[in-house]
Every structure is written in C-alpha cells, then in structure tokens.
Amino acid sequence: MKWYEKAVFYHIYPLGLCGCPFENDGVTSENHFKQLNDWTTHIDKLGCNAIYIGPLFESATHGYDTTDYKKVDRRLGTNADFKEYVKNCHDKGIHVIVDGVFNHVGRKFFAFEDLKQNRENSRYKDWFCNVNFYNNNEYNDGFSYDNWGGYNVLVKLNQRNPEVKNYIFDIIRYWVQEFDIDGIRLDAADVLDHDFMHEMRNVANTVKEDFWLMGEVIHGDYSQWANDQTLHSVTNYELHKALYSGHNDHNYFEIAHSIQRSLTINGNTRLYTFVDNHDVERIATKLSNKANLIPVHILYYGLPGIPSIYYGSEFGIEGKKEQNSDASLRPALNLSDYATAYTENSLTKLICKLGMIHKQFPELTEGRYEQLYLTNRQFAYGRILDDSAIVVAVNNDENPAECWIHLPLDAKQAVDLLQADISEPSPEELSALENEQKEALLTKGTLLLTTLKEDSSHLQDVLTAFEDALTEKDILLASKKQAELEQFSKILSEHITQTTLSLETPKPTISSNTQVRIENGQLVVKLDANSGAMIHLTK
C-alpha cells in the first residue's frame, strides 16, 4: 500500500499554534521549529504518521496571501529550519505535506507588484485573471482583477497561462528538492482549473515516489477532483457535516447515507476525513452534547478514508467563529499545559488507542465496508478483510443500549479492541524478550545435540544391520531394520520441530472482555451511553 492509504494525519496551522503576530512586518524573524519538533513527539504518541502543516511560506498576514513561495515565513523560521523539521519527522516515520496556495497570491507578490508599477506594460499582466484597466478598486490601483471570495487582497492567478503553470510546477519541484516534502494540500481546489490540476498530477508523478495531492473541496461531486487523472484525494466536507449534525439530531441515518453516497460516487478513492480544521468551528463547540465526542471519533476513525486530527482537538478544546474571524479557531497552544492528557483526558486517551488500532489492524485500511445495524441512535458497520473483520458500533443516546448485530463473517471470537490491551512492547521490553528467547533457544539446541549424540551409536548399528541385510538379500531382516529407521526418523523429526532455532517478534496480547459476545449467529454488543466499540472478529 502507498503511505497515504494507511495514514492518520495531524493538521497544524503553524502561525496560530506558535502564536505568531498576525501581520508580517517583513523585518522581524522568529524560530518556532523547536516548538514544532516538540509537537512531533506528541503527534507520534497519538499514533499519527503524517502531518499536514500550513500555510508555511512567506505571506503578509494569515498565510494564504503568499508573497514568496520559496521562502518559509519569517515569523516561523528559515528554510534550513523547515528542512531539518521535515528530516526529524521522517526519522520518526512521519510524512509531511504542506499547503499549496496556487489559486491566488497576496498583493505583495512580485508579479503583482510589477503589475501595479508598470500597468499595461507589465510582462506579468496576463498572470492574473480579468485585469481591467478601465476599472478601479478600494486600493485605488487604477484597475480591477478577479480575486478569491470577494477579497481583493487575494489576487487570482491565471492557471491557464503557461508561464504561471511552469512557475508553480517549478515551485513544487523546488519544495521537494529543498525540503523533501511528501505531498501538497491544494488550497481552494474547488476553483482551480481542471486542466491545470491534470498537468500538476503529471508533475507529482515525477517529483517523488507516491507524492500525494489532496484538494480542499467543499461542495459537489468529489470524483470530479479526486480521480486517477487529477488529485489523489479531497476533503470530505459532506461527512464532516453529517458527523456533528447526525449526533446533535440523534440521526445516524444521515451519517449512514453520507457514507454510502460517498462510496457509491467515489469508489475506492480515499477521501480526507475530519471533524474540524482551521476554517470551521471545533467539534467540541459544534456538538450540543460533549459526551458525543467519544462516538464521533470512534465512528470516523474506522471509516474508509484518511482520518485527520486538528491540533488541540485531541484535548477537546473549543473554538467558535467570532465577528467573522477565524482567530479563535487557530489559537496558540503550549504543549506543556496538556502534559497529563495521556492519562487523565478521556478523549486524548481514546485517540491514542484509535491510532494504535489503526496502525496494527489492516482491516481499517484494506477491509471492505458493510453497514450492519442502523437506528436513529445506534449504528454499526464492518470493515471485512479475508477471515477477520472489525465491527464499529456507536451509541449517541444518553442511555445504555444492547445491539444484536448481523455478523459479517462466520466468527468464533469477538473482542472489543478499545477495552483490550493491545499495546506493543517498548524497545526495552523487546530487548528483554529477545534475550529471554535466545536463552530458551540455546537450551533447545543443547537438548537436540544431547539427543542426537545419545542416539547416534544406535543409529549406526541399525544402519549397518540394514546394509548387511540388503547385501545378503534377507528381506525379513531388511524390512525390520527399515521400520526401525523410519521410527528413528520420526522421533528425530519431532525433536527438531520442538527445538527449532528461530526468534519471533512478540505480538500484542489481545485480552478478552465481557461487553461483547457471539450468540445465535449474531454479535451482541453492550454500549454505554454516548460510547462506542471497535470489535475484532476472527474465525
């Protein structure tokens, strides 16, 4: 599988997380990559193996008004700092993707500065869409132009201009060569030119193996953007909406419908799934009952797709849009303030466990989806892979529930992984276990050697007698000695099997629990109020 097909993402808006000033004065430089590296250790503990970080490059304010694509924003650090950051992530087995803001640029972008100065004579006037020198704007430029979202601070690039395309494709090559990034999240992909994205996919296929393109798309048929010809994936805003409103309204039918619709339209394309991000209110704010943070996360972590956690939401922090500002969605956080979250915060502990399950059980990345049980307040689906499956069952009711769920395979054992101990041995434990195995193997080897020595003289006598019988054509004696040799061979084979010298990597011990059982060909699951289960089924 490709790395992104089994990824769990952690999304960072770095200008916010690091508490950078909103406006870039073009002079003051800071270095926040040590702080970001500390967060990487936390991200690893959560079980995330990929980071989406951005916007990252030099801009005037919020990061999406880019002024220099080749320079890391001075409010965060230097190019060398980011390069080292990516290396540190890779050393931990974490892939890194960045924001690619290619639909528009800021007004201080060099080509737009040239347009303001040279107007009709600017060689860059065709780099931007619908430049009209007979109009004006609020900046008194003496011309108008297309923008993004009605904001003239975001000047729309002409993605059909060959010079613009080549410039952006060279930027992508530069990012890979200079920083070794693993992919790009395309900002405002829903308004990017499709031919432009198609050509970008060809570039992505050449810059680095398994280089990933994911687009920000809110409405519409996602397959128009995510397919074999354009982007690998897009943001699943439809599911995002269903996840919180389906819990608020006690309506799992909405979520089930959204899942089925997505699978019907998008097939095997893995969409980027999330419950919040830097543009929408925090999931803890959107849920009318905060207890539903538990079933929400259990539910979407198990679905087909690529799950993502937005920084801080693993702690259950809230964030609400205020006065048309996203500032409260992008707060500065100090990781030391959450040092006890791994043991004391129920949501953080759950997300760590979900990350562990996602990593260890291929059913969640390779298994086919099947809906198994559905009411307004309880929902279960399976991820089935060969002779095993994981059944995800959730309850959004304020009361406990017992669900009798159709078994997706002829299972004999059922274990709720969320209640089981599936922790992997630490490096120290692995070393101790390896030494213990080595001692046991040496004992086995000594036993085998002793047995062979004890039997070797008897074996030689039998072989000599067998040879003499064959020479003298004594069929009865030869048959008797042959039977003795076969018996000796059988005993020797058993000794060798029992003393095979091989080291095995210890596997997690999955303990049983009493909340689930198999009865009368059905899976019976007891769910607490506002809770869920991830049940591993085996034959």
Side-chain angles (χ1 to χ4, degrees):
M1 294 182 70
K2 301 182 187 304
W3 69 265
Y4 49 81
E5 293 176 337
K6 50 188 177 181
V8 177
F9 269 89
Y10 194 84
H11 173 194
I12 297 174
Y13 180 86
L15 294 171
L17 171 62
C18 299
C20 300
F22 180 72
E23 293 188 0
N24 185 345
D25 63 11
V27 177
T28 308
S29 296
E30 302 177 23
N31 184 356
H32 290 285
F33 280 98
K34 182 183 183 305
Q35 178 183 356
L36 290 168
N37 276 318
D38 292 340
W39 278 83
T40 304
T41 301
H42 164 68
I43 291 164
D44 189 40
K45 288 182 181 179
L46 293 177
C48 297
N49 54 11
I51 292 174
Y52 153 37
I53 182 170
L56 198 70
F57 296 96
E58 188 81 344
S59 71
T61 56
H62 47 56
Y64 290 100
D65 49 351
T66 311
T67 58
D68 190 342
Y69 286 103
K70 289 190 174 183
K71 181 179 180 180
V72 169
D73 197 302
R74 70 181 68 244
R75 292 170 291 174
L76 292 170
T78 66
N79 286 15
D81 296 329
F82 179 55
K83 184 175 183 177
E84 182 65 22
Y85 171 80
V86 175
K87 182 181 182 300
N88 290 338
C89 289
H90 286 169
D91 289 345
K92 287 182 169 65
I94 297 173
H95 290 81
V96 179
I97 72 165
V98 301
D99 250 319
V101 189
F102 301 142
N103 178 69
H104 47 263
V105 294
R107 287 174 52 82
K108 293 183 179 181
F109 182 64
F110 79 94
F112 192 75
E113 290 271 282
D114 187 273
L115 175 63
K116 287 190 294 182
Q117 180 177 345
N118 296 308
R119 295 176 55 80
E120 292 91 343
N121 295 320
S122 172
R123 69 174 302 270
Y124 300 107
K125 65 179 184 297
D126 294 328
W127 276 42
F128 307 101
C129 291
N130 293 323
V131 176
N132 186 342
F133 294 104
Y134 295 98
N135 284 337
N136 203 353
N137 58 31
E138 68 270 32
Y139 298 102
N140 200 30
D141 290 325
F143 58 87
S144 63
Y145 48 85
D146 284 355
N147 59 41
W148 180 87
Y151 300 102
N152 272 327
V153 71
L154 304 175
V155 188
K156 184 168 176 61
L157 285 168
N158 179 8
Q159 296 129 28
R160 299 195 72 84
N161 183 317
E163 284 191 4
V164 172
K165 287 189 288 187
N166 289 333
Y167 175 82
I168 290 174
F169 298 157
D170 283 343
I171 291 297
I172 294 173
R173 296 184 185 99
Y174 174 81
W175 287 350
V176 175
Q177 293 165 5
E178 182 70 14
F179 306 117
D180 196 25
I181 62 167
D182 303 296
I184 294 173
R185 177 262 191 190
L186 290 167
D187 182 61
D190 46 5
V191 291
L192 289 176
D193 180 78
H194 280 257
D195 290 338
F196 168 71
M197 287 186 286
H198 176 74
E199 292 183 54
M200 186 187 300
R201 177 65 172 264
N202 293 333
V203 173
N205 292 340
T206 63
V207 293
K208 187 177 185 179
E209 185 178 3
D210 296 336
F211 193 77
W212 190 57
L213 298 177
M214 185 267 288
E216 178 196 24
V217 178
I218 299 175
H219 305 294
D221 177 355
Y222 293 148
S223 66
Q224 293 182 16
W225 290 271
N227 53 60
D228 292 338
Q229 303 301 316
T230 49
L231 310 181
H232 297 90
S233 182
V234 296
T235 50
N236 194 346
Y237 267 91
E238 180 180 332
L239 178 64
H240 150 261
K241 188 269 176 187
L243 285 169
Y244 70 82
S245 63
H247 282 84
N248 286 345
D249 299 337
H250 293 295
N251 184 12
Y252 275 140
F253 283 89
E254 178 186 3
I255 298 175
H257 173 76
S258 176
I259 296 167
Q260 197 58 57
R261 180 179 183 277
S262 177
L263 291 172
T264 301
I265 294 173
N266 302 297
N268 294 325
T269 300
R270 298 166 195 254
L271 302 184
Y272 183 86
T273 58
F274 60 96
V275 291
D276 49 18
N277 61 31
H278 64 304
D279 288 327
V280 300
E281 294 183 344
R282 296 273 180 172
I283 184 63
T285 297
K286 287 181 292 200
L287 288 175
S288 54
N289 183 350
K290 304 298 183 285
N292 278 326
L293 282 169
I294 300 301
V296 161
H297 284 84
I298 294 171
L299 195 157
Y300 92 94
Y301 250 79
L303 289 173
I306 303 169
S308 172
I309 294 290
Y310 181 47
Y311 83 94
S313 285
E314 70 271 27
F315 307 125
I317 70 171
E318 296 200 36
K320 184 178 180 63
K321 289 198 178 207
E322 297 171 328
Q323 299 177 340
N324 295 318
S325 170
D326 291 329
S328 62
L329 311 179
R330 308 166 180 182
L333 295 182
N334 189 336
L335 190 57
S336 63
D337 293 339
Y338 303 94
T340 62
Y342 305 111
T343 56
E344 297 179 7
N345 186 311
S346 60
L347 181 59
T348 309
K349 290 192 295 182
L350 171 67
I351 290 173
C352 288
K353 190 67 174 284
L354 290 171
M356 193 184 302
I357 294 171
H358 203 278
K359 176 183 177 182
Q360 293 182 21
F361 293 89
E363 292 90 343
L364 294 185
T365 52
E366 301 176 46
R368 64 177 175 84
Y369 171 89
E370 182 180 336
Q371 181 178 302
L372 303 174
Y373 186 93
L374 180 61
T375 69
N376 282 338
R377 296 171 184 248
Q378 290 83 39
F379 177 36
Y381 63 85
R383 300 295 305 279
I384 303 97
L385 182 65
D386 300 328
D387 293 333
S388 65
I390 286 182
V391 172
V392 176
V394 286
N395 177 26
N396 68 39
D397 198 4
E398 288 71 31
N399 297 296
E402 182 175 270
C403 303
W404 288 66
I405 301 169
H406 166 70
L407 279 171
L409 50 81
D410 184 21
K412 298 296 186 292
Q413 184 181 34
V415 176
D416 182 5
L417 299 176
L418 293 176
Q419 304 301 322
D421 179 10
I422 61 166
S423 56
E424 295 179 308
S426 67
E428 294 76 15
E429 291 171 328
L430 282 173
S431 178
L433 287 168
E434 183 178 343
N435 291 333
E436 185 179 319
Q437 283 192 42
K438 286 179 179 178
E439 288 297 323
L441 291 179
L442 289 174
T443 301
K444 284 184 178 181
T446 302
L447 175 62
L448 176 61
L449 181 62
T450 301
T451 302
L452 291 174
K453 284 182 176 180
E454 290 175 351
D455 292 343
S456 61
S457 59
H458 175 63
L459 173 62
Q460 186 59 52
D461 291 342
V462 174
L463 285 171
T464 300
F466 183 51
E467 183 180 11
D468 292 343
L470 291 174
T471 301
E472 297 172 6
K473 300 181 180 180
D474 187 339
I475 302 301
L476 290 176
L477 181 60
S479 298
K480 179 180 178 182
K481 295 304 176 183
Q482 180 178 344
E484 288 183 34
L485 286 173
E486 290 175 350
Q487 180 63 25
F488 182 84
S489 177
K490 181 180 178 181
I491 293 172
L492 181 61
S493 176
E494 290 176 354
H495 279 308
I496 291 175
T497 300
Q498 294 170 4
T499 57
T500 299
L501 300 178
S502 64
L503 287 171
E504 296 181 0
T505 302
K507 296 181 179 179
T509 300
I510 302 178
S511 57
S512 61
N513 43 62
T514 58
Q515 291 295 98
V516 299
R517 69 182 189 275
I518 296 173
E519 183 176 329
N520 297 329
Q522 289 186 292
L523 175 64
V524 185
V525 185
K526 295 180 179 179
L527 295 171
D528 293 334
N530 308 104
S531 72
M534 273 193 173
I535 302 132
H536 191 230
L537 299 178
T538 50
K539 289 188 174 183

